[in-house]
Amino acid sequence: QVQLVESGGGLVQPGGSLSLSCAASGSIGSDYDMGWYRRQSPEKPRVLVAVITGGGITSYKESVRGRFTISRDNTNNTVYLQMNSLKPEDTAVYYCAAYRTFSETPSTRPEDYKYWGQGTQVTVSS
């Protein structure tokens, strides 16, 4: 079992930055794709923000590409999401997710991910 705990959410003004962290229990190492998803309302599905494979291959949602950066520390079992130039439409609950795989192609499908954190709220507003 893998448990994920997100942190770093909060209120930020448009154009500002936030850094999210996701700490995983146990030793994930490089055996998991780690993804950040977000949900803008309970009625909407979670959508991909960014994903990174154990080998460091990344994929991003088009609207965040160039503004967000996903990274991971396999030694410390932690994944990060650096968010810059934030916009009001980035407001959402952000979720960390893990998918055990050795594929070199990052998974962008939420149904592939077996483990999810509880989420952290990010609000971008003046």
Side-chain angles (χ1 to χ4, degrees):
Q1 283 286 332
V2 175
Q3 291 183 314
L4 306 173
V5 180
E6 305 97 335
S7 62
L11 174 65
V12 64
Q13 293 184 335
S17 298
L18 282 176
S19 182
L20 305 182
S21 298
C22 173
S25 65
S27 297
I28 288 182
S30 61
D31 294 347
Y32 292 80
D33 283 0
M34 299 295 296
W36 285 99
Y37 287 77
R38 68 188 185 190
R39 185 167 65 190
Q40 295 177 309
S41 73
E43 296 78 21
K44 297 181 179 179
R46 296 171 183 176
V47 298
L48 173 74
V49 177
V51 60
I52 185 168
T53 70
I57 301 172
T58 60
S59 182
Y60 293 90
K61 178 178 174 63
E62 177 64 28
S63 63
V64 309
R65 188 172 292 114
R67 299 187 297 120
F68 292 9
T69 302
I70 188 171
S71 61
R72 64 191 293 162
D73 183 342
N74 291 338
T75 299
N76 293 302
N77 301 306
T78 305
V79 64
Y80 305 93
L81 184 68
Q82 178 64 46
M83 304 184 293
N84 299 325
S85 302
L86 284 161
K87 304 175 180 179
E89 52 263 43
D90 294 320
T91 296
V93 177
Y94 283 71
Y95 298 88
C96 178
Y99 167 47
R100 186 177 178 87
T101 178
F102 290 96
S103 174
E104 295 183 358
T105 302
S107 173
T108 60
R109 306 191 310 168
E111 57 266 34
D112 285 344
Y113 289 80
K114 297 181 179 180
Y115 306 103
W116 294 83
Q118 294 300 305
T120 185
Q121 177 71 46
V122 172
T123 302
V124 185
S125 176
S126 298

PDB file of all heavy atoms in Angstrom, residues 42-58:
ATOM      1  N   PRO A  42     -16.513  19.506  -7.558  1.00  0.00           N
ATOM      2  CA  PRO A  42     -16.834  18.096  -7.306  1.00  0.00           C
ATOM      3  C   PRO A  42     -17.555  17.417  -8.464  1.00  0.00           C
ATOM      4  O   PRO A  42     -17.503  16.190  -8.574  1.00  0.00           O
ATOM      5  CB  PRO A  42     -17.725  18.161  -6.062  1.00  0.00           C
ATOM      6  CG  PRO A  42     -17.341  19.435  -5.384  1.00  0.00           C
ATOM      7  CD  PRO A  42     -17.029  20.385  -6.501  1.00  0.00           C
ATOM      8  N   GLU A  43     -18.223  18.190  -9.301  1.00  0.00           N
ATOM      9  CA  GLU A  43     -18.983  17.622 -10.409  1.00  0.00           C
ATOM     10  C   GLU A  43     -18.113  17.324 -11.627  1.00  0.00           C
ATOM     11  O   GLU A  43     -18.551  16.638 -12.555  1.00  0.00           O
ATOM     12  CB  GLU A  43     -20.130  18.559 -10.818  1.00  0.00           C
ATOM     13  CG  GLU A  43     -21.180  18.768  -9.750  1.00  0.00           C
ATOM     14  CD  GLU A  43     -20.740  19.737  -8.669  1.00  0.00           C
ATOM     15  OE1 GLU A  43     -19.827  20.549  -8.921  1.00  0.00           O
ATOM     16  OE2 GLU A  43     -21.318  19.686  -7.570  1.00  0.00           O
ATOM     17  N   LYS A  44     -16.909  17.842 -11.631  1.00  0.00           N
ATOM     18  CA  LYS A  44     -16.026  17.656 -12.765  1.00  0.00           C
ATOM     19  C   LYS A  44     -14.997  16.574 -12.475  1.00  0.00           C
ATOM     20  O   LYS A  44     -14.634  16.343 -11.328  1.00  0.00           O
ATOM     21  CB  LYS A  44     -15.320  18.967 -13.120  1.00  0.00           C
ATOM     22  CG  LYS A  44     -16.258  20.072 -13.566  1.00  0.00           C
ATOM     23  CD  LYS A  44     -15.489  21.338 -13.913  1.00  0.00           C
ATOM     24  CE  LYS A  44     -16.411  22.433 -14.390  1.00  0.00           C
ATOM     25  NZ  LYS A  44     -15.660  23.677 -14.718  1.00  0.00           N
ATOM     26  N   PRO A  45     -14.514  15.905 -13.513  1.00  0.00           N
ATOM     27  CA  PRO A  45     -13.505  14.870 -13.295  1.00  0.00           C
ATOM     28  C   PRO A  45     -12.137  15.469 -12.997  1.00  0.00           C
ATOM     29  O   PRO A  45     -11.864  16.628 -13.310  1.00  0.00           O
ATOM     30  CB  PRO A  45     -13.487  14.117 -14.622  1.00  0.00           C
ATOM     31  CG  PRO A  45     -13.871  15.151 -15.636  1.00  0.00           C
ATOM     32  CD  PRO A  45     -14.893  16.023 -14.937  1.00  0.00           C
ATOM     33  N   ARG A  46     -11.316  14.665 -12.399  1.00  0.00           N
ATOM     34  CA  ARG A  46      -9.933  15.056 -12.237  1.00  0.00           C
ATOM     35  C   ARG A  46      -9.248  15.034 -13.607  1.00  0.00           C
ATOM     36  O   ARG A  46      -9.455  14.107 -14.391  1.00  0.00           O
ATOM     37  CB  ARG A  46      -9.213  14.105 -11.293  1.00  0.00           C
ATOM     38  CG  ARG A  46      -9.755  14.118  -9.878  1.00  0.00           C
ATOM     39  CD  ARG A  46      -9.162  13.013  -9.044  1.00  0.00           C
ATOM     40  NE  ARG A  46      -9.727  12.988  -7.706  1.00  0.00           N
ATOM     41  CZ  ARG A  46      -9.449  12.080  -6.793  1.00  0.00           C
ATOM     42  NH1 ARG A  46      -8.615  11.099  -7.064  1.00  0.00           N
ATOM     43  NH2 ARG A  46     -10.015  12.142  -5.601  1.00  0.00           N
ATOM     44  N   VAL A  47      -8.458  16.040 -13.874  1.00  0.00           N
ATOM     45  CA  VAL A  47      -7.762  16.128 -15.148  1.00  0.00           C
ATOM     46  C   VAL A  47      -6.266  16.239 -14.905  1.00  0.00           C
ATOM     47  O   VAL A  47      -5.816  16.773 -13.889  1.00  0.00           O
ATOM     48  CB  VAL A  47      -8.260  17.311 -16.003  1.00  0.00           C
ATOM     49  CG1 VAL A  47      -9.734  17.140 -16.337  1.00  0.00           C
ATOM     50  CG2 VAL A  47      -8.029  18.632 -15.290  1.00  0.00           C
ATOM     51  N   LEU A  48      -5.514  15.748 -15.858  1.00  0.00           N
ATOM     52  CA  LEU A  48      -4.064  15.757 -15.743  1.00  0.00           C
ATOM     53  C   LEU A  48      -3.515  17.172 -15.694  1.00  0.00           C
ATOM     54  O   LEU A  48      -3.901  18.031 -16.488  1.00  0.00           O
ATOM     55  CB  LEU A  48      -3.441  15.019 -16.929  1.00  0.00           C
ATOM     56  CG  LEU A  48      -1.914  15.087 -17.021  1.00  0.00           C
ATOM     57  CD1 LEU A  48      -1.282  14.189 -15.977  1.00  0.00           C
ATOM     58  CD2 LEU A  48      -1.447  14.693 -18.421  1.00  0.00           C
ATOM     59  N   VAL A  49      -2.616  17.398 -14.771  1.00  0.00           N
ATOM     60  CA  VAL A  49      -1.805  18.609 -14.756  1.00  0.00           C
ATOM     61  C   VAL A  49      -0.404  18.290 -15.261  1.00  0.00           C
ATOM     62  O   VAL A  49       0.106  18.929 -16.180  1.00  0.00           O
ATOM     63  CB  VAL A  49      -1.741  19.226 -13.352  1.00  0.00           C
ATOM     64  CG1 VAL A  49      -0.822  20.441 -13.346  1.00  0.00           C
ATOM     65  CG2 VAL A  49      -3.134  19.604 -12.876  1.00  0.00           C
ATOM     66  N   ALA A  50       0.210  17.303 -14.656  1.00  0.00           N
ATOM     67  CA  ALA A  50       1.552  16.897 -15.046  1.00  0.00           C
ATOM     68  C   ALA A  50       1.812  15.494 -14.534  1.00  0.00           C
ATOM     69  O   ALA A  50       1.246  15.071 -13.529  1.00  0.00           O
ATOM     70  CB  ALA A  50       2.607  17.863 -14.502  1.00  0.00           C
ATOM     71  N   VAL A  51       2.679  14.771 -15.218  1.00  0.00           N
ATOM     72  CA  VAL A  51       3.078  13.443 -14.784  1.00  0.00           C
ATOM     73  C   VAL A  51       4.557  13.273 -15.076  1.00  0.00           C
ATOM     74  O   VAL A  51       5.081  13.834 -16.043  1.00  0.00           O
ATOM     75  CB  VAL A  51       2.240  12.335 -15.478  1.00  0.00           C
ATOM     76  CG1 VAL A  51       2.407  12.397 -16.987  1.00  0.00           C
ATOM     77  CG2 VAL A  51       2.590  10.955 -14.951  1.00  0.00           C
ATOM     78  N   ILE A  52       5.212  12.505 -14.239  1.00  0.00           N
ATOM     79  CA  ILE A  52       6.627  12.223 -14.426  1.00  0.00           C
ATOM     80  C   ILE A  52       6.875  10.753 -14.158  1.00  0.00           C
ATOM     81  O   ILE A  52       6.380  10.178 -13.189  1.00  0.00           O
ATOM     82  CB  ILE A  52       7.501  13.124 -13.520  1.00  0.00           C
ATOM     83  CG1 ILE A  52       8.986  12.914 -13.816  1.00  0.00           C
ATOM     84  CG2 ILE A  52       7.182  12.910 -12.051  1.00  0.00           C
ATOM     85  CD1 ILE A  52       9.885  13.964 -13.161  1.00  0.00           C
ATOM     86  N   THR A  53       7.634  10.116 -15.036  1.00  0.00           N
ATOM     87  CA  THR A  53       7.981   8.717 -14.850  1.00  0.00           C
ATOM     88  C   THR A  53       9.155   8.594 -13.893  1.00  0.00           C
ATOM     89  O   THR A  53       9.799   9.575 -13.527  1.00  0.00           O
ATOM     90  CB  THR A  53       8.353   8.049 -16.177  1.00  0.00           C
ATOM     91  OG1 THR A  53       9.610   8.567 -16.636  1.00  0.00           O
ATOM     92  CG2 THR A  53       7.282   8.295 -17.237  1.00  0.00           C
ATOM     93  N   GLY A  54       9.434   7.354 -13.494  1.00  0.00           N
ATOM     94  CA  GLY A  54      10.577   7.123 -12.641  1.00  0.00           C
ATOM     95  C   GLY A  54      11.881   7.552 -13.271  1.00  0.00           C
ATOM     96  O   GLY A  54      12.832   7.890 -12.560  1.00  0.00           O
ATOM     97  N   GLY A  55      11.927   7.534 -14.595  1.00  0.00           N
ATOM     98  CA  GLY A  55      13.115   7.947 -15.314  1.00  0.00           C
ATOM     99  C   GLY A  55      13.156   9.418 -15.668  1.00  0.00           C
ATOM    100  O   GLY A  55      14.102   9.854 -16.323  1.00  0.00           O
ATOM    101  N   GLY A  56      12.139  10.171 -15.256  1.00  0.00           N
ATOM    102  CA  GLY A  56      12.156  11.608 -15.452  1.00  0.00           C
ATOM    103  C   GLY A  56      11.480  12.113 -16.717  1.00  0.00           C
ATOM    104  O   GLY A  56      11.599  13.299 -17.040  1.00  0.00           O
ATOM    105  N   ILE A  57      10.785  11.249 -17.433  1.00  0.00           N
ATOM    106  CA  ILE A  57      10.045  11.691 -18.611  1.00  0.00           C
ATOM    107  C   ILE A  57       8.747  12.336 -18.162  1.00  0.00           C
ATOM    108  O   ILE A  57       8.025  11.780 -17.335  1.00  0.00           O
ATOM    109  CB  ILE A  57       9.765  10.523 -19.563  1.00  0.00           C
ATOM    110  CG1 ILE A  57      11.082   9.887 -20.014  1.00  0.00           C
ATOM    111  CG2 ILE A  57       8.965  10.993 -20.780  1.00  0.00           C
ATOM    112  CD1 ILE A  57      10.905   8.617 -20.804  1.00  0.00           C
ATOM    113  N   THR A  58       8.432  13.485 -18.714  1.00  0.00           N
ATOM    114  CA  THR A  58       7.289  14.264 -18.248  1.00  0.00           C
ATOM    115  C   THR A  58       6.255  14.479 -19.337  1.00  0.00           C
ATOM    116  O   THR A  58       6.531  14.385 -20.528  1.00  0.00           O
ATOM    117  CB  THR A  58       7.734  15.633 -17.727  1.00  0.00           C
ATOM    118  OG1 THR A  58       8.392  16.355 -18.780  1.00  0.00           O
ATOM    119  CG2 THR A  58       8.689  15.480 -16.552  1.00  0.00           C
TER     120      THR A  58
END
